[in-house]
Amino acid sequence: TQYANTDTIKKIQKALKDKKYDLGNYGINKDGVDGKFGNKTAEAVLQFITNNTEPAPQTTSQQPTTPTPSSDATQATSQQPK
């Protein structure tokens, strides 16, 4: 299994930090940007997804309707030569 590389994780962490998500005090600058996808990063990503995902539209459960032949189609089939 291939995991995201450290640079990619740091980019994600920086974006989350810029949006004020709590990443703890890990890393060189103690701002949570350390390139490791730990618990704090996982929590921040989940919170970001929760905050930025619209709920699925509500649907009513309706039975599909079967199309009925139009009167023109009914007349055409009943008048075919035998």
Side-chain angles (χ1 to χ4, degrees):
T1 303
Q2 181 66 37
Y3 297 101
N5 67 31
T6 302
D7 291 336
T8 301
I9 295 171
K10 282 184 179 180
K11 287 177 185 177
I12 293 167
Q13 289 172 327
K14 286 177 185 176
L16 290 167
K17 181 188 71 123
D18 290 346
K19 293 192 176 285
K20 309 297 182 210
Y21 287 90
D22 178 18
L23 298 172
N25 58 358
Y26 306 100
I28 295 171
N29 297 324
K30 303 292 183 196
D31 58 359
V33 179
D34 63 359
K36 299 176 185 173
F37 200 93
N39 289 338
K40 285 286 196 176
T41 301
E43 289 171 12
V45 167
L46 289 175
Q47 190 62 50
F48 175 83
I49 291 169
T50 300
N51 293 344
N52 294 283
T53 302
E54 293 184 23
Q58 295 295 321
T59 59
T60 59
S61 65
Q62 296 176 341
Q63 295 295 326
T65 57
T66 304
T68 55
S70 70
S71 60
D72 291 340
T74 305
Q75 289 175 357
T77 57
S78 64
Q79 295 177 358
Q80 289 180 351
K82 294 182 182 181

